[in-house]
Amino acid sequence: MGFASKLNIVVTGGAGFIGSHLCDRLIQQGHRVYCVDNLVTGTFSNVRPLLNHPDFEFIEHDIRDPLEIAGRIDRIYNLACPASPRHYQRDPIGTLHTCVIGAGHVIELAREKRARALQASTSEVYGDPDIHPQPETYFGNVNPVGPRACYDEGKRAAETVFFDCHHIYRIPIKVARIFNTYGPRMLENDGRIISNFVVQALKGEPITVYGDGSQTRSFCYIDDLLAGLQLLMESPPEIIGPFNLGNPEEQTVRQIADLIVAQTRSKSTIEYHPLPRDDPRRRRPAISRARDVLGWSPKISLDEGLRATINYFSLRLFTDERVRRRPDSGSHTRSRQRSNALSRPALAR
Ligand code: NAD
Ligand code: UDP
């Protein structure tokens, strides 16, 4: 994507999985990036390679508090929020406040700076869907008092905050409903399916399938998602959304397990565990709106994306193992302690 000028861009949640890849991409394109993160699920090491870049600034901040940044801001990507069920359910009120109050603070900043703001919403706004595949016109089927509600209802309300502020104050907004996205830099113990299964397969541990594995998801590789987010952000002001961004190739959880075992040539066996409450039975995005309006569709197959993800995790596991075995691994331990110390409210990793 060509840019006529250098933009000043805020990425909240910029030290997380999606956010850190977005920061990389924006810096590579020549923009100035302010990465705002409280490191609750993000890690300092995700953005460490960017820290010495003159156009990159890391701001440790919780978006539940008002957000102030000096100078011109042109774009704000609001990605701050834990995305894995394990993590967003650990502090449900915190998650709800991050979604709703955080969205309010992001919108305030956009209003003050006359900046464009993009909200990272989610397929979870459709809950356990009665309509398949899910188009943006579907209002969803969310249990408002279940364990996923803090995230699902929080994200629904965040969309409301964005749309109402757009209508009242004419703030330019964009809303992306992101479907399951995967790739390098997911946390090893993130709890999400792809990272869990890949790590389990590489270690030769049992693959933990929840329920009978017949529930479905549709997986989008990180690079495809970033292209969609950016196309949406840079689309003309009258294009707002919401837009589903995801890969419509649908798989059962059991198929994913088999695929990962085959790709890693693992000896892992399948181990069945109870299905978590309110786990959606099926999920697949209808993406004709994104295709027609933004000219976006995913390009990277599950096979290809999984290969890159497996390479990432095998490198990490292998390197960690070597570091653990080395007698003189002091400097590595110190740097890891430093990054942990920075993750103030860090979750158990
Ligand atoms: P992630 O957990 O890796 O990243 C989230 C980042 O936000 C982390 O760096 C975390 O420390 C930060 N954060 C959380 N609460 C914060 C707060 N109150 N203040 C400041 N920073 C805070 O998750 P991800 O997969 O990178 O997801 C990024 C965004 O995309 C989230 O908003 C998520 O809801 C959305 N999303 C992701 C997926 C997916 O499959 N990855 C799917 C749908 C929606
Ligand atoms: N899942 C699983 N085993 C795991 C992790 C997840 O069977 O170790 C299932 C989970 O029950 C869900 C699907 O995989 O049906 C996707 O889960 P994830 O947490 O990755 O995302 P989400 O449920 O938010 O779509």
Side-chain angles (χ1 to χ4, degrees):
M1 186 177 291
F3 288 89
S5 59
K6 174 172 179 163
L7 300 173
N8 289 356
I9 303 179
V10 174
V11 180
T12 75
F17 159 54
I18 297 176
S20 62
H21 284 285
L22 181 61
C23 289
D24 281 349
R25 187 178 169 107
L26 296 171
I27 287 288
Q28 273 163 24
Q29 289 169 347
H31 300 299
R32 175 156 180 75
V33 172
Y34 300 88
C35 168
V36 175
D37 205 295
N38 69 353
L39 298 172
V40 68
T41 51
T43 64
F44 204 61
S45 58
N46 280 345
V47 289
R48 202 184 300 280
L50 298 176
L51 289 176
N52 290 327
H53 196 287
D55 282 327
F56 182 81
E57 193 173 324
F58 179 77
I59 303 170
E60 189 174 348
H61 178 81
D62 192 311
I63 63 160
R64 288 170 290 180
D65 298 324
L67 188 52
E68 288 167 15
I69 298 175
R72 195 190 88 221
I73 298 294
D74 305 297
R75 306 276 188 270
I76 310 172
Y77 288 87
N78 185 29
L79 305 186
C81 185
S84 159
R86 172 188 289 180
H87 290 161
Y88 68 64
Q89 290 174 21
R90 200 176 298 247
D91 175 12
I93 302 295
T95 299
L96 189 65
H97 286 174
T98 292
C99 290
V100 185
I101 298 172
H105 291 145
V106 165
I107 277 288
E108 270 303 314
L109 184 69
R111 187 181 177 199
E112 177 204 331
K113 303 288 184 183
R114 297 175 189 280
R116 212 176 260 196
L118 181 149
Q119 169 63 13
S121 188
T122 168
S123 50
E124 289 283 331
V125 299
Y126 303 122
D128 188 11
D130 304 313
I131 291 185
H132 195 71
Q134 295 80 55
E136 290 89 345
T137 47
Y138 177 47
F139 292 164
N141 176 36
V142 171
N143 174 3
V145 294
R148 299 172 86 100
C150 58
Y151 183 75
D152 300 9
E153 296 291 13
K155 289 284 186 178
R156 286 167 70 92
E159 289 195 13
T160 312
V161 170
F162 265 59
F163 270 84
D164 281 345
C165 289
H166 168 71
H167 292 133
I168 299 168
Y169 306 116
R170 310 309 306 162
I171 298 165
I173 63 155
K174 311 278 178 183
V175 174
R177 290 182 179 159
I178 302 171
F179 283 62
N180 296 64
T181 299
Y182 71 100
R185 290 195 198 153
M186 296 184 88
L187 287 176
E188 202 178 302
N189 60 351
D190 190 51
R192 286 184 272 189
I193 181 171
I194 300 287
S195 43
N196 268 13
F197 286 5
V198 168
V199 171
Q200 289 162 350
L202 288 172
K203 288 182 170 173
E205 293 171 356
I207 308 288
T208 53
V209 167
Y210 302 157
D212 63 5
S214 64
Q215 70 273 34
T216 70
R217 294 294 186 273
S218 307
F219 295 94
C220 186
Y221 189 64
I222 180 73
D223 293 4
D224 279 332
L225 176 77
L226 295 178
L229 286 177
Q230 233 186 339
L231 276 170
L232 174 56
M233 180 63 110
E234 301 310 325
S235 62
E238 66 277 11
I239 293 175
I240 289 173
F243 283 92
N244 286 343
L245 294 180
N247 192 321
E249 253 187 70
E250 185 181 359
Q251 317 280 337
T252 66
V253 161
R254 181 59 213 241
Q255 282 172 327
I256 293 292
D258 292 342
L259 197 60
I260 290 175
V261 167
Q263 276 209 15
T264 50
R265 299 199 179 91
S266 173
K267 298 220 171 352
S268 291
T269 52
I270 304 291
E271 191 176 87
Y272 289 93
H273 291 254
L275 188 68
R277 218 174 109 203
D278 290 347
D279 197 286
R281 283 160 300 156
R282 51 194 187 160
R283 184 182 290 154
R284 176 182 175 193
I287 61 162
S288 52
R289 187 182 282 184
R291 193 179 278 140
D292 296 347
V293 179
L294 305 174
W296 177 84
S297 58
K299 306 278 180 276
I300 298 163
S301 69
L302 186 59
D303 256 5
E304 198 183 340
L306 276 181
R307 229 173 296 129
T309 310
I310 289 167
N311 282 344
Y312 166 81
F313 277 111
S314 39
L315 206 65
R316 269 198 59 158
L317 295 176
F318 176 66
T319 310
D320 282 359
E321 184 61 23
R322 265 195 358 216
V323 169
R324 265 198 298 277
R325 281 196 198 146
R326 244 179 25 194
D328 61 342
S329 59
S331 63
H332 290 81
T333 314
R334 265 199 304 279
S335 68
R336 212 177 295 154
Q337 275 170 353
R338 184 170 166 237
S339 79
N340 279 343
L342 281 160
S343 347
R344 192 169 21 106
L347 296 161
R349 303 223 160 97

